[in-house]
Amino acid sequence: MLRYTLMRLGIFVGCLVVVWGLVYSGVVPRGLGSSNGLWIALLALVISAPISFVVLRKERDRASEQVARRVDRMKANIEASASQEDLADDRARAQG
């Protein structure tokens, strides 16, 4: 999961550098007034999202499998805990 996040951040930073270079070289228009930094960040975000979607498909699938395994493991732990509580409750009711 951390690997996917770092790869996605790397793609965003790469797009940010490219967009910054294009804005300051005059290829892409500058933002309005003092919004230039926000304009660059938003443009880089819009460009990096589809790139990440395509390029990181396998890594995203691996990360989702890890999350699914964790969720399944937690569900099993919760069910085991609930059955132990039920058993302890049944014993307590039988004794008293």
Side-chain angles (χ1 to χ4, degrees), residues 26-47:
V27 175
V28 176
R30 296 177 188 262
L32 298 173
S34 63
S35 68
N36 196 31
L38 182 62
W39 165 251
I40 292 172
L42 286 175
L43 193 57
L45 185 66
V46 167
I47 293 170

Side-chain angles (χ1 to χ4, degrees), residues 45-55:
L45 185 66
V46 167
I47 293 170
S48 70
I51 293 172
S52 296
F53 184 75
V54 173
V55 172

Side-chain angles (χ1 to χ4, degrees), residues 6-27:
L6 291 175
M7 291 171 78
R8 180 122 192 228
L9 184 64
I11 289 173
F12 172 73
V13 169
C15 288
L16 187 69
V17 168
V18 169
V19 169
W20 179 81
L22 291 174
V23 166
Y24 281 100
S25 67
V27 175

Side-chain angles (χ1 to χ4, degrees), residues 34-80:
S34 63
S35 68
N36 196 31
L38 182 62
W39 165 251
I40 292 172
L42 286 175
L43 193 57
L45 185 66
V46 167
I47 293 170
S48 70
I51 293 172
S52 296
F53 184 75
V54 173
V55 172
L56 300 179
R57 179 168 297 174
K58 289 181 182 178
E59 193 62 38
R60 186 176 53 252
D61 290 343
R62 280 190 218 126
S64 68
E65 288 174 7
Q66 287 178 350
V67 170
R69 280 195 301 265
R70 274 192 221 144
V71 168
D72 291 341
R73 192 172 48 227
M74 291 187 103
K75 284 182 182 178
N77 288 341
I78 289 171
E79 288 175 9

